[in-house]
Amino acid sequence: MPGVWKVAQVREAEAALMATLPAGALMQRAAAGLAARVARLLTGSGGVYGAHVTVLTGPGNNGGDALFAGALLAERGARVTAVEVFPGRRHREAGEALVAAGGRFASTLPDRTDLALDGIVGIGGRAGLPDSAVSLLEQLATAVMVAVDVPSGVDVDTGAVVGPAVHADVTVTFGCHKPAVAVGAGAAHAGFVDYVDIGLQPYLPEPFAVIPTLDDVARWWPRPQPYDDKYTRGVLGVCAGSYRYPGAGELAVAGALAGPAGYIRYAGSAARHVRYRYPEVVTKDRVADSGRVQAWTAGPGMGTDSVAASQLSAAFDEGVPICLDADGLTLIANDPVLLEQRIAPMVLTPHDREYSRLADRATGPDRIGDALELARRFDCIVLLKGFRTVIADPSGKVYLNPTGDPALATAGSGDVLAGLLGALLAAGMPVDRAAVAAAFVHGLAGREAARQGPVTASGIARVLPEVISRSLEL
């Protein structure tokens, strides 16, 4: 899994690497990689020769990377204009190289820009941008924007966007991924992230977080073995839905049926609806009457009254892993005593409003920190939903799901996710991997549903089995 590192970790690794290299060599590596990626982008629109490239440059090494890359592009015939965001402040050697290669500096933007390089601030910059940078960016709104290492203005260690920041089409990041391109609003501002290897990896410590890949999920996914039966593949109990919200039960069951478990037992007051929709599911009205299961998904649409609390208590009594979502989260937020019965691993799957009920405060700019705090408080896995869903465990391990899609923000989508996650738990997958895998393929299903038209939870549930089968080659 690709790692994600904070600024202090990157700085330490860079210092160790630079100690083995001639002065300036690391910046030249970064600039060469950046120029190559820009050239590739320009190839699709007429090529490098004659292309109009504008460099927004700050005074630091990030500006130096951009200017040296501009020099390499100018040598290939691009018309490169650099504009100092902080007038009178630039990386001297890189500026000289740009001019020597045929580029120029100007106090205002040129009349035409095909592609702009954001070299305003790098990993040493603070969140937000000065008014002068905002004005320049507004004038470049129609150009292809390439951020150098990270989008300027994004908080590098959290991915938060608390003020003006660059909206990049592509971010060319050097040496490793940083939170600014992998989580929170920063991930949306980064656009497509293109990684350039500059030799940093051997010097990096253990990553602060990791990004799962399709290969990881496919390797973890339980597959039926020759002597399996429906019980050995895993039995999942689903306690979701109610007289008022029967659809939540149906959606959670739909997500569960897409997973690897061999047997689904439903318990709740939407039993009649589930039974008619899914005849393969065994239904009961009460958790206590459901029979043995290997895991539970509980919460979506089940209500928050005393009957729902009794159902949740009975699920905890089973002593098996549990995925808790929606109303289940509200129940434990309102009555934490319920958790005293819990003796098995648990996954909480809050969106931001549910998080605020559990944590007694709203989510802040540091989504990774928020997820870790909740994981430690409840001693469980926390799957904090969002554009880049964060999965955290109480030991401090963090996964950043790369497949999220804004289209997933639709009613009932989380019910499908909870059902799928429960099926993975029932099939024996470790709780952290189950949370990661469920979020990953649920995100893929959201993308597929969006490709086919307006996204609904039913649409996500409909495409989920096919997406799983095709993506994981089951």
Side-chain angles (χ1 to χ4, degrees), residues 28 60 75 91 138 175 188 200 221 229 259 266 269 300 366 370 381 394 399 425 428 448 468:
Q28 293 296 336
E75 289 174 353
H91 190 284
E138 288 173 347
L200 199 62
W221 200 269
D229 58 36
Y266 172 85
S269 54
D366 183 1
D370 289 340
I381 301 297
Y399 304 85
L425 293 174
E448 177 62 21
I468 291 172

Side-chain angles (χ1 to χ4, degrees), residues 246-275:
E250 294 184 25
L251 290 168
V253 167
L257 288 169
Y263 194 168
I264 310 298
R265 300 182 188 270
Y266 172 85
S269 54
R272 180 171 61 88
H273 295 270
V274 171
R275 184 164 58 246

Side-chain angles (χ1 to χ4, degrees), residues 16-201:
L17 173 57
M18 285 190 290
T20 70
L21 299 173
L26 191 60
M27 183 173 287
Q28 293 296 336
R29 287 184 184 180
L34 174 60
R37 297 315 195 266
V38 170
R40 189 182 305 161
L41 286 170
L42 292 171
T43 298
S45 58
V48 176
Y49 188 86
H52 292 250
V53 176
T54 297
V55 179
L56 299 181
T57 179
N61 289 341
N62 189 257
D65 295 335
L67 291 172
F68 273 125
L72 293 171
L73 294 167
E75 289 174 353
R76 296 181 58 177
R79 300 179 181 182
V80 181
T81 301
V83 177
E84 295 172 346
V85 176
F86 306 92
R89 299 174 63 192
R90 70 175 77 158
H91 190 284
R92 183 177 60 80
E93 293 86 353
E96 292 171 353
L98 175 67
V99 173
R104 70 187 185 99
F105 280 87
S107 59
T108 59
L109 294 173
D111 293 336
R112 172 182 165 188
T113 297
D114 300 318
L115 182 147
L117 285 178
D118 158 32
I120 303 171
V121 292
I123 63 174
R126 292 178 295 180
L129 291 172
D131 291 342
S132 58
V134 174
S135 176
L136 291 168
L137 292 167
E138 288 173 347
Q139 297 174 64
L140 290 169
T142 60
V144 175
M145 180 63 66
V146 177
V148 179
D149 203 17
V150 295
S152 295
V154 174
D155 187 294
V156 181
D157 274 347
T158 68
V161 177
V162 297
V166 167
H167 273 275
D169 298 291
V170 176
T171 295
V172 180
T173 198
F174 305 131
C176 65
H177 289 76
K178 297 87 182 172
V181 302
V183 69
H189 278 246
F192 176 80
V193 179
D194 196 352
Y195 166 76
V196 170
D197 183 4
I198 57 172
L200 199 62
Q201 289 290 330

Side-chain angles (χ1 to χ4, degrees), residues 233-312:
R233 289 184 61 190
V235 181
L236 173 66
V238 176
C239 182
S242 58
Y243 290 119
R244 188 176 182 184
Y245 300 113
E250 294 184 25
L251 290 168
V253 167
L257 288 169
Y263 194 168
I264 310 298
R265 300 182 188 270
Y266 172 85
S269 54
R272 180 171 61 88
H273 295 270
V274 171
R275 184 164 58 246
Y276 289 162
R277 182 76 177 273
Y278 302 108
E280 62 267 55
V281 176
V282 173
T283 63
K284 298 287 184 181
D285 295 328
R286 300 193 317 144
V287 167
D289 297 331
S290 295
R292 292 292 299 167
V293 299
Q294 275 74 57
W296 278 99
T297 284
M302 70 186 291
T304 57
D305 57 13
S306 60
V307 173
S310 175
Q311 290 274 65
L312 182 56

Side-chain angles (χ1 to χ4, degrees), residues 237-423:
V238 176
C239 182
S242 58
Y243 290 119
R244 188 176 182 184
Y245 300 113
E250 294 184 25
L251 290 168
V253 167
L257 288 169
Y263 194 168
I264 310 298
R265 300 182 188 270
Y266 172 85
S269 54
R272 180 171 61 88
H273 295 270
V274 171
R275 184 164 58 246
Y276 289 162
R277 182 76 177 273
Y278 302 108
E280 62 267 55
V281 176
V282 173
T283 63
K284 298 287 184 181
D285 295 328
R286 300 193 317 144
V287 167
D289 297 331
S290 295
R292 292 292 299 167
V293 299
Q294 275 74 57
W296 278 99
T297 284
M302 70 186 291
T304 57
D305 57 13
S306 60
V307 173
S310 175
Q311 290 274 65
L312 182 56
S313 178
F316 281 135
D317 282 343
E318 293 286 323
V320 296
I322 186 168
C323 169
L324 211 56
D325 184 46
D327 287 342
L329 301 174
T330 301
L331 283 167
I332 65 168
N334 292 342
D335 186 9
V337 174
L338 283 168
L339 287 174
E340 293 179 1
Q341 300 164 255
R342 173 203 153 210
I343 59 173
M346 178 174 68
V347 183
L348 304 182
T349 60
H351 54 56
D352 282 15
R353 290 179 183 84
E354 291 162 343
Y355 179 95
S356 67
R357 289 194 285 273
L358 291 164
D360 298 321
R361 67 168 181 82
T363 53
D366 183 1
R367 295 185 66 78
I368 294 176
D370 289 340
L372 283 170
E373 178 186 326
L374 204 63
R376 287 165 177 154
R377 177 184 296 190
F378 288 98
D379 190 27
C380 69
I381 301 297
V382 169
L383 187 156
L384 179 59
K385 300 171 189 172
F387 174 65
R388 287 291 182 263
T389 289
V390 178
I391 298 99
D393 79 11
S395 73
K397 189 164 188 178
V398 175
Y399 304 85
L400 304 176
N401 179 51
T403 66
D405 191 289
L408 288 168
T410 186
S413 171
D415 304 345
V416 178
L417 171 63
L420 174 63
L421 204 164

